[in-house]
Amino acid sequence: KYTQFSIFYYWINSLGQKTSIYTRSENVVIPSGKENKTATISYDHSIMPLINTSSTGTYYCKVKWNSIEKMGNGVFVLARGIGYVEPSHGQEILVALTALLAALSITATALLLWKRK
């Protein structure tokens, strides 16, 4: 009775709305001699690149045999408008200039204190 089952992929957005992504039915053939033994079968599913920030939510997988349902813990995905952006050269120059001015300031303070003695 466990050889026929369905797999459901869906996500729940921040408003609690459930959206179906993909469903598939499976009929697994059990080889002779393997009856009444526990077996694990992995199923991979790739989703298309997220279209926009409204794709943020928790993505789930659920398997259903006859009257039994098992659901995964889910994976939270945060979709952002812009991914990682390399810092511009202007920011690098600003950091270098700030470091140089800090070093000169410390040196000048040390020289003033040394000359005072």
mmCIF file with all atom_site columns, all heavy atoms in Angstrom, residues 37-58:
data_model
loop_
_atom_site.group_PDB
_atom_site.id
_atom_site.type_symbol
_atom_site.label_atom_id
_atom_site.label_alt_id
_atom_site.label_comp_id
_atom_site.label_asym_id
_atom_site.label_entity_id
_atom_site.label_seq_id
_atom_site.pdbx_PDB_ins_code
_atom_site.Cartn_x
_atom_site.Cartn_y
_atom_site.Cartn_z
_atom_site.occupancy
_atom_site.B_iso_or_equiv
_atom_site.pdbx_formal_charge
_atom_site.auth_seq_id
_atom_site.auth_comp_id
_atom_site.auth_asym_id
_atom_site.auth_atom_id
_atom_site.pdbx_PDB_model_num
ATOM 1   N N   . LYS A 1 37 ? 10.566 -4.181 4.138   1.00 0.00 ? 37 LYS A N   1
ATOM 2   C CA  . LYS A 1 37 ? 11.797 -3.561 4.621   1.00 0.00 ? 37 LYS A CA  1
ATOM 3   C C   . LYS A 1 37 ? 11.701 -2.060 4.386   1.00 0.00 ? 37 LYS A C   1
ATOM 4   O O   . LYS A 1 37 ? 11.090 -1.605 3.419   1.00 0.00 ? 37 LYS A O   1
ATOM 5   C CB  . LYS A 1 37 ? 13.018 -4.127 3.898   1.00 0.00 ? 37 LYS A CB  1
ATOM 6   C CG  . LYS A 1 37 ? 13.259 -5.580 4.232   1.00 0.00 ? 37 LYS A CG  1
ATOM 7   C CD  . LYS A 1 37 ? 14.559 -6.054 3.663   1.00 0.00 ? 37 LYS A CD  1
ATOM 8   C CE  . LYS A 1 37 ? 14.776 -7.514 4.052   1.00 0.00 ? 37 LYS A CE  1
ATOM 9   N NZ  . LYS A 1 37 ? 16.003 -8.031 3.536   1.00 0.00 ? 37 LYS A NZ  1
ATOM 10  N N   . THR A 1 38 ? 12.308 -1.311 5.282   1.00 0.00 ? 38 THR A N   1
ATOM 11  C CA  . THR A 1 38 ? 12.304 0.143  5.147   1.00 0.00 ? 38 THR A CA  1
ATOM 12  C C   . THR A 1 38 ? 13.245 0.547  4.021   1.00 0.00 ? 38 THR A C   1
ATOM 13  O O   . THR A 1 38 ? 14.360 0.030  3.902   1.00 0.00 ? 38 THR A O   1
ATOM 14  C CB  . THR A 1 38 ? 12.764 0.805  6.463   1.00 0.00 ? 38 THR A CB  1
ATOM 15  O OG1 . THR A 1 38 ? 11.859 0.408  7.499   1.00 0.00 ? 38 THR A OG1 1
ATOM 16  C CG2 . THR A 1 38 ? 12.773 2.305  6.344   1.00 0.00 ? 38 THR A CG2 1
ATOM 17  N N   . ALA A 1 39 ? 12.795 1.470  3.209   1.00 0.00 ? 39 ALA A N   1
ATOM 18  C CA  . ALA A 1 39 ? 13.616 1.973  2.112   1.00 0.00 ? 39 ALA A CA  1
ATOM 19  C C   . ALA A 1 39 ? 13.518 3.493  2.081   1.00 0.00 ? 39 ALA A C   1
ATOM 20  O O   . ALA A 1 39 ? 12.507 4.069  2.470   1.00 0.00 ? 39 ALA A O   1
ATOM 21  C CB  . ALA A 1 39 ? 13.159 1.397  0.784   1.00 0.00 ? 39 ALA A CB  1
ATOM 22  N N   . THR A 1 40 ? 14.577 4.118  1.641   1.00 0.00 ? 40 THR A N   1
ATOM 23  C CA  . THR A 1 40 ? 14.589 5.575  1.499   1.00 0.00 ? 40 THR A CA  1
ATOM 24  C C   . THR A 1 40 ? 14.892 5.911  0.056   1.00 0.00 ? 40 THR A C   1
ATOM 25  O O   . THR A 1 40 ? 15.841 5.376  -0.526  1.00 0.00 ? 40 THR A O   1
ATOM 26  C CB  . THR A 1 40 ? 15.670 6.201  2.403   1.00 0.00 ? 40 THR A CB  1
ATOM 27  O OG1 . THR A 1 40 ? 15.397 5.845  3.761   1.00 0.00 ? 40 THR A OG1 1
ATOM 28  C CG2 . THR A 1 40 ? 15.685 7.696  2.268   1.00 0.00 ? 40 THR A CG2 1
ATOM 29  N N   . ILE A 1 41 ? 14.083 6.776  -0.502  1.00 0.00 ? 41 ILE A N   1
ATOM 30  C CA  . ILE A 1 41 ? 14.293 7.226  -1.873  1.00 0.00 ? 41 ILE A CA  1
ATOM 31  C C   . ILE A 1 41 ? 14.349 8.744  -1.856  1.00 0.00 ? 41 ILE A C   1
ATOM 32  O O   . ILE A 1 41 ? 13.483 9.404  -1.273  1.00 0.00 ? 41 ILE A O   1
ATOM 33  C CB  . ILE A 1 41 ? 13.147 6.760  -2.802  1.00 0.00 ? 41 ILE A CB  1
ATOM 34  C CG1 . ILE A 1 41 ? 13.038 5.239  -2.780  1.00 0.00 ? 41 ILE A CG1 1
ATOM 35  C CG2 . ILE A 1 41 ? 13.366 7.268  -4.218  1.00 0.00 ? 41 ILE A CG2 1
ATOM 36  C CD1 . ILE A 1 41 ? 11.825 4.706  -3.515  1.00 0.00 ? 41 ILE A CD1 1
ATOM 37  N N   . SER A 1 42 ? 15.369 9.313  -2.467  1.00 0.00 ? 42 SER A N   1
ATOM 38  C CA  . SER A 1 42 ? 15.502 10.770 -2.525  1.00 0.00 ? 42 SER A CA  1
ATOM 39  C C   . SER A 1 42 ? 14.920 11.293 -3.825  1.00 0.00 ? 42 SER A C   1
ATOM 40  O O   . SER A 1 42 ? 15.090 10.676 -4.890  1.00 0.00 ? 42 SER A O   1
ATOM 41  C CB  . SER A 1 42 ? 16.977 11.175 -2.444  1.00 0.00 ? 42 SER A CB  1
ATOM 42  O OG  . SER A 1 42 ? 17.495 10.811 -1.193  1.00 0.00 ? 42 SER A OG  1
ATOM 43  N N   . TYR A 1 43 ? 14.243 12.420 -3.737  1.00 0.00 ? 43 TYR A N   1
ATOM 44  C CA  . TYR A 1 43 ? 13.696 13.087 -4.909  1.00 0.00 ? 43 TYR A CA  1
ATOM 45  C C   . TYR A 1 43 ? 14.163 14.540 -4.868  1.00 0.00 ? 43 TYR A C   1
ATOM 46  O O   . TYR A 1 43 ? 13.935 15.237 -3.882  1.00 0.00 ? 43 TYR A O   1
ATOM 47  C CB  . TYR A 1 43 ? 12.165 13.040 -4.913  1.00 0.00 ? 43 TYR A CB  1
ATOM 48  C CG  . TYR A 1 43 ? 11.610 11.653 -5.118  1.00 0.00 ? 43 TYR A CG  1
ATOM 49  C CD1 . TYR A 1 43 ? 11.314 10.831 -4.051  1.00 0.00 ? 43 TYR A CD1 1
ATOM 50  C CD2 . TYR A 1 43 ? 11.402 11.171 -6.404  1.00 0.00 ? 43 TYR A CD2 1
ATOM 51  C CE1 . TYR A 1 43 ? 10.817 9.556  -4.242  1.00 0.00 ? 43 TYR A CE1 1
ATOM 52  C CE2 . TYR A 1 43 ? 10.902 9.888  -6.609  1.00 0.00 ? 43 TYR A CE2 1
ATOM 53  C CZ  . TYR A 1 43 ? 10.610 9.094  -5.521  1.00 0.00 ? 43 TYR A CZ  1
ATOM 54  O OH  . TYR A 1 43 ? 10.124 7.833  -5.728  1.00 0.00 ? 43 TYR A OH  1
ATOM 55  N N   . ASP A 1 44 ? 14.832 14.965 -5.908  1.00 0.00 ? 44 ASP A N   1
ATOM 56  C CA  . ASP A 1 44 ? 15.284 16.345 -5.997  1.00 0.00 ? 44 ASP A CA  1
ATOM 57  C C   . ASP A 1 44 ? 14.313 17.148 -6.832  1.00 0.00 ? 44 ASP A C   1
ATOM 58  O O   . ASP A 1 44 ? 13.723 16.642 -7.785  1.00 0.00 ? 44 ASP A O   1
ATOM 59  C CB  . ASP A 1 44 ? 16.675 16.424 -6.645  1.00 0.00 ? 44 ASP A CB  1
ATOM 60  C CG  . ASP A 1 44 ? 17.748 15.788 -5.772  1.00 0.00 ? 44 ASP A CG  1
ATOM 61  O OD1 . ASP A 1 44 ? 17.589 15.823 -4.540  1.00 0.00 ? 44 ASP A OD1 1
ATOM 62  O OD2 . ASP A 1 44 ? 18.719 15.261 -6.327  1.00 0.00 ? 44 ASP A OD2 1
ATOM 63  N N   . HIS A 1 45 ? 14.168 18.391 -6.466  1.00 0.00 ? 45 HIS A N   1
ATOM 64  C CA  . HIS A 1 45 ? 13.327 19.296 -7.249  1.00 0.00 ? 45 HIS A CA  1
ATOM 65  C C   . HIS A 1 45 ? 13.982 20.665 -7.263  1.00 0.00 ? 45 HIS A C   1
ATOM 66  O O   . HIS A 1 45 ? 14.321 21.199 -6.207  1.00 0.00 ? 45 HIS A O   1
ATOM 67  C CB  . HIS A 1 45 ? 11.919 19.392 -6.668  1.00 0.00 ? 45 HIS A CB  1
ATOM 68  C CG  . HIS A 1 45 ? 11.044 20.330 -7.425  1.00 0.00 ? 45 HIS A CG  1
ATOM 69  N ND1 . HIS A 1 45 ? 10.556 20.024 -8.678  1.00 0.00 ? 45 HIS A ND1 1
ATOM 70  C CD2 . HIS A 1 45 ? 10.594 21.562 -7.141  1.00 0.00 ? 45 HIS A CD2 1
ATOM 71  C CE1 . HIS A 1 45 ? 9.837  21.034 -9.109  1.00 0.00 ? 45 HIS A CE1 1
ATOM 72  N NE2 . HIS A 1 45 ? 9.842  21.978 -8.187  1.00 0.00 ? 45 HIS A NE2 1
ATOM 73  N N   . SER A 1 46 ? 14.190 21.204 -8.437  1.00 0.00 ? 46 SER A N   1
ATOM 74  C CA  . SER A 1 46 ? 14.765 22.540 -8.573  1.00 0.00 ? 46 SER A CA  1
ATOM 75  C C   . SER A 1 46 ? 13.667 23.515 -8.951  1.00 0.00 ? 46 SER A C   1
ATOM 76  O O   . SER A 1 46 ? 12.833 23.211 -9.807  1.00 0.00 ? 46 SER A O   1
ATOM 77  C CB  . SER A 1 46 ? 15.848 22.558 -9.660  1.00 0.00 ? 46 SER A CB  1
ATOM 78  O OG  . SER A 1 46 ? 16.886 21.681 -9.312  1.00 0.00 ? 46 SER A OG  1
ATOM 79  N N   . ILE A 1 47 ? 13.684 24.667 -8.304  1.00 0.00 ? 47 ILE A N   1
ATOM 80  C CA  . ILE A 1 47 ? 12.712 25.687 -8.668  1.00 0.00 ? 47 ILE A CA  1
ATOM 81  C C   . ILE A 1 47 ? 13.388 26.710 -9.564  1.00 0.00 ? 47 ILE A C   1
ATOM 82  O O   . ILE A 1 47 ? 14.603 26.889 -9.526  1.00 0.00 ? 47 ILE A O   1
ATOM 83  C CB  . ILE A 1 47 ? 12.086 26.365 -7.428  1.00 0.00 ? 47 ILE A CB  1
ATOM 84  C CG1 . ILE A 1 47 ? 13.161 27.021 -6.563  1.00 0.00 ? 47 ILE A CG1 1
ATOM 85  C CG2 . ILE A 1 47 ? 11.288 25.379 -6.611  1.00 0.00 ? 47 ILE A CG2 1
ATOM 86  C CD1 . ILE A 1 47 ? 12.598 27.844 -5.428  1.00 0.00 ? 47 ILE A CD1 1
ATOM 87  N N   . MET A 1 48 ? 12.602 27.372 -10.359 1.00 0.00 ? 48 MET A N   1
ATOM 88  C CA  . MET A 1 48 ? 13.129 28.390 -11.264 1.00 0.00 ? 48 MET A CA  1
ATOM 89  C C   . MET A 1 48 ? 13.648 29.553 -10.432 1.00 0.00 ? 48 MET A C   1
ATOM 90  O O   . MET A 1 48 ? 13.255 29.731 -9.279  1.00 0.00 ? 48 MET A O   1
ATOM 91  C CB  . MET A 1 48 ? 12.026 28.877 -12.217 1.00 0.00 ? 48 MET A CB  1
ATOM 92  C CG  . MET A 1 48 ? 11.467 27.770 -13.094 1.00 0.00 ? 48 MET A CG  1
ATOM 93  S SD  . MET A 1 48 ? 12.721 26.936 -14.074 1.00 0.00 ? 48 MET A SD  1
ATOM 94  C CE  . MET A 1 48 ? 13.145 28.205 -15.208 1.00 0.00 ? 48 MET A CE  1
ATOM 95  N N   . PRO A 1 49 ? 14.525 30.383 -11.014 1.00 0.00 ? 49 PRO A N   1
ATOM 96  C CA  . PRO A 1 49 ? 14.997 31.560 -10.266 1.00 0.00 ? 49 PRO A CA  1
ATOM 97  C C   . PRO A 1 49 ? 13.805 32.404 -9.812  1.00 0.00 ? 49 PRO A C   1
ATOM 98  O O   . PRO A 1 49 ? 12.814 32.526 -10.524 1.00 0.00 ? 49 PRO A O   1
ATOM 99  C CB  . PRO A 1 49 ? 15.842 32.317 -11.292 1.00 0.00 ? 49 PRO A CB  1
ATOM 100 C CG  . PRO A 1 49 ? 16.263 31.279 -12.272 1.00 0.00 ? 49 PRO A CG  1
ATOM 101 C CD  . PRO A 1 49 ? 15.136 30.275 -12.322 1.00 0.00 ? 49 PRO A CD  1
ATOM 102 N N   . LEU A 1 50 ? 13.926 32.936 -8.610  1.00 0.00 ? 50 LEU A N   1
ATOM 103 C CA  . LEU A 1 50 ? 12.833 33.720 -8.048  1.00 0.00 ? 50 LEU A CA  1
ATOM 104 C C   . LEU A 1 50 ? 12.632 34.993 -8.865  1.00 0.00 ? 50 LEU A C   1
ATOM 105 O O   . LEU A 1 50 ? 13.581 35.689 -9.192  1.00 0.00 ? 50 LEU A O   1
ATOM 106 C CB  . LEU A 1 50 ? 13.128 34.052 -6.588  1.00 0.00 ? 50 LEU A CB  1
ATOM 107 C CG  . LEU A 1 50 ? 13.331 32.824 -5.706  1.00 0.00 ? 50 LEU A CG  1
ATOM 108 C CD1 . LEU A 1 50 ? 13.722 33.227 -4.297  1.00 0.00 ? 50 LEU A CD1 1
ATOM 109 C CD2 . LEU A 1 50 ? 12.093 31.959 -5.681  1.00 0.00 ? 50 LEU A CD2 1
ATOM 110 N N   . ILE A 1 51 ? 11.395 35.279 -9.192  1.00 0.00 ? 51 ILE A N   1
ATOM 111 C CA  . ILE A 1 51 ? 11.071 36.388 -10.085 1.00 0.00 ? 51 ILE A CA  1
ATOM 112 C C   . ILE A 1 51 ? 11.193 37.739 -9.399  1.00 0.00 ? 51 ILE A C   1
ATOM 113 O O   . ILE A 1 51 ? 11.756 38.673 -9.935  1.00 0.00 ? 51 ILE A O   1
ATOM 114 C CB  . ILE A 1 51 ? 9.649  36.208 -10.659 1.00 0.00 ? 51 ILE A CB  1
ATOM 115 C CG1 . ILE A 1 51 ? 9.592  34.908 -11.448 1.00 0.00 ? 51 ILE A CG1 1
ATOM 116 C CG2 . ILE A 1 51 ? 9.239  37.379 -11.518 1.00 0.00 ? 51 ILE A CG2 1
ATOM 117 C CD1 . ILE A 1 51 ? 8.188  34.468 -11.799 1.00 0.00 ? 51 ILE A CD1 1
ATOM 118 N N   . ASN A 1 52 ? 10.652 37.848 -8.207  1.00 0.00 ? 52 ASN A N   1
ATOM 119 C CA  . ASN A 1 52 ? 10.703 39.127 -7.502  1.00 0.00 ? 52 ASN A CA  1
ATOM 120 C C   . ASN A 1 52 ? 10.644 38.893 -6.001  1.00 0.00 ? 52 ASN A C   1
ATOM 121 O O   . ASN A 1 52 ? 10.594 37.756 -5.539  1.00 0.00 ? 52 ASN A O   1
ATOM 122 C CB  . ASN A 1 52 ? 9.561  40.041 -7.967  1.00 0.00 ? 52 ASN A CB  1
ATOM 123 C CG  . ASN A 1 52 ? 8.209  39.365 -7.831  1.00 0.00 ? 52 ASN A CG  1
ATOM 124 O OD1 . ASN A 1 52 ? 7.974  38.633 -6.884  1.00 0.00 ? 52 ASN A OD1 1
ATOM 125 N ND2 . ASN A 1 52 ? 7.328  39.602 -8.783  1.00 0.00 ? 52 ASN A ND2 1
ATOM 126 N N   . THR A 1 53 ? 10.634 39.986 -5.236  1.00 0.00 ? 53 THR A N   1
ATOM 127 C CA  . THR A 1 53 ? 10.685 39.865 -3.785  1.00 0.00 ? 53 THR A CA  1
ATOM 128 C C   . THR A 1 53 ? 9.424  39.248 -3.201  1.00 0.00 ? 53 THR A C   1
ATOM 129 O O   . THR A 1 53 ? 9.425  38.823 -2.055  1.00 0.00 ? 53 THR A O   1
ATOM 130 C CB  . THR A 1 53 ? 10.926 41.237 -3.138  1.00 0.00 ? 53 THR A CB  1
ATOM 131 O OG1 . THR A 1 53 ? 9.904  42.140 -3.576  1.00 0.00 ? 53 THR A OG1 1
ATOM 132 C CG2 . THR A 1 53 ? 12.274 41.794 -3.534  1.00 0.00 ? 53 THR A CG2 1
ATOM 133 N N   . SER A 1 54 ? 8.349  39.180 -3.969  1.00 0.00 ? 54 SER A N   1
ATOM 134 C CA  . SER A 1 54 ? 7.130  38.550 -3.444  1.00 0.00 ? 54 SER A CA  1
ATOM 135 C C   . SER A 1 54 ? 7.276  37.028 -3.370  1.00 0.00 ? 54 SER A C   1
ATOM 136 O O   . SER A 1 54 ? 6.386  36.345 -2.880  1.00 0.00 ? 54 SER A O   1
ATOM 137 C CB  . SER A 1 54 ? 5.911  38.932 -4.292  1.00 0.00 ? 54 SER A CB  1
ATOM 138 O OG  . SER A 1 54 ? 6.033  38.391 -5.586  1.00 0.00 ? 54 SER A OG  1
ATOM 139 N N   . SER A 1 55 ? 8.382  36.475 -3.850  1.00 0.00 ? 55 SER A N   1
ATOM 140 C CA  . SER A 1 55 ? 8.639  35.032 -3.750  1.00 0.00 ? 55 SER A CA  1
ATOM 141 C C   . SER A 1 55 ? 9.168  34.649 -2.378  1.00 0.00 ? 55 SER A C   1
ATOM 142 O O   . SER A 1 55 ? 9.443  33.482 -2.123  1.00 0.00 ? 55 SER A O   1
ATOM 143 C CB  . SER A 1 55 ? 9.651  34.603 -4.819  1.00 0.00 ? 55 SER A CB  1
ATOM 144 O OG  . SER A 1 55 ? 9.135  34.848 -6.104  1.00 0.00 ? 55 SER A OG  1
ATOM 145 N N   . THR A 1 56 ? 9.324  35.620 -1.477  1.00 0.00 ? 56 THR A N   1
ATOM 146 C CA  . THR A 1 56 ? 9.778  35.346 -0.124  1.00 0.00 ? 56 THR A CA  1
ATOM 147 C C   . THR A 1 56 ? 8.734  34.501 0.602   1.00 0.00 ? 56 THR A C   1
ATOM 148 O O   . THR A 1 56 ? 7.546  34.763 0.506   1.00 0.00 ? 56 THR A O   1
ATOM 149 C CB  . THR A 1 56 ? 10.009 36.663 0.652   1.00 0.00 ? 56 THR A CB  1
ATOM 150 O OG1 . THR A 1 56 ? 11.106 37.351 0.063   1.00 0.00 ? 56 THR A OG1 1
ATOM 151 C CG2 . THR A 1 56 ? 10.304 36.415 2.119   1.00 0.00 ? 56 THR A CG2 1
ATOM 152 N N   . GLY A 1 57 ? 9.197  33.485 1.308   1.00 0.00 ? 57 GLY A N   1
ATOM 153 C CA  . GLY A 1 57 ? 8.281  32.640 2.074   1.00 0.00 ? 57 GLY A CA  1
ATOM 154 C C   . GLY A 1 57 ? 8.953  31.341 2.462   1.00 0.00 ? 57 GLY A C   1
ATOM 155 O O   . GLY A 1 57 ? 10.150 31.159 2.259   1.00 0.00 ? 57 GLY A O   1
ATOM 156 N N   . THR A 1 58 ? 8.187  30.432 3.010   1.00 0.00 ? 58 THR A N   1
ATOM 157 C CA  . THR A 1 58 ? 8.700  29.126 3.409   1.00 0.00 ? 58 THR A CA  1
ATOM 158 C C   . THR A 1 58 ? 8.236  28.086 2.393   1.00 0.00 ? 58 THR A C   1
ATOM 159 O O   . THR A 1 58 ? 7.053  27.997 2.092   1.00 0.00 ? 58 THR A O   1
ATOM 160 C CB  . THR A 1 58 ? 8.214  28.754 4.817   1.00 0.00 ? 58 THR A CB  1
ATOM 161 O OG1 . THR A 1 58 ? 8.566  29.814 5.710   1.00 0.00 ? 58 THR A OG1 1
ATOM 162 C CG2 . THR A 1 58 ? 8.870  27.475 5.298   1.00 0.00 ? 58 THR A CG2 1
#
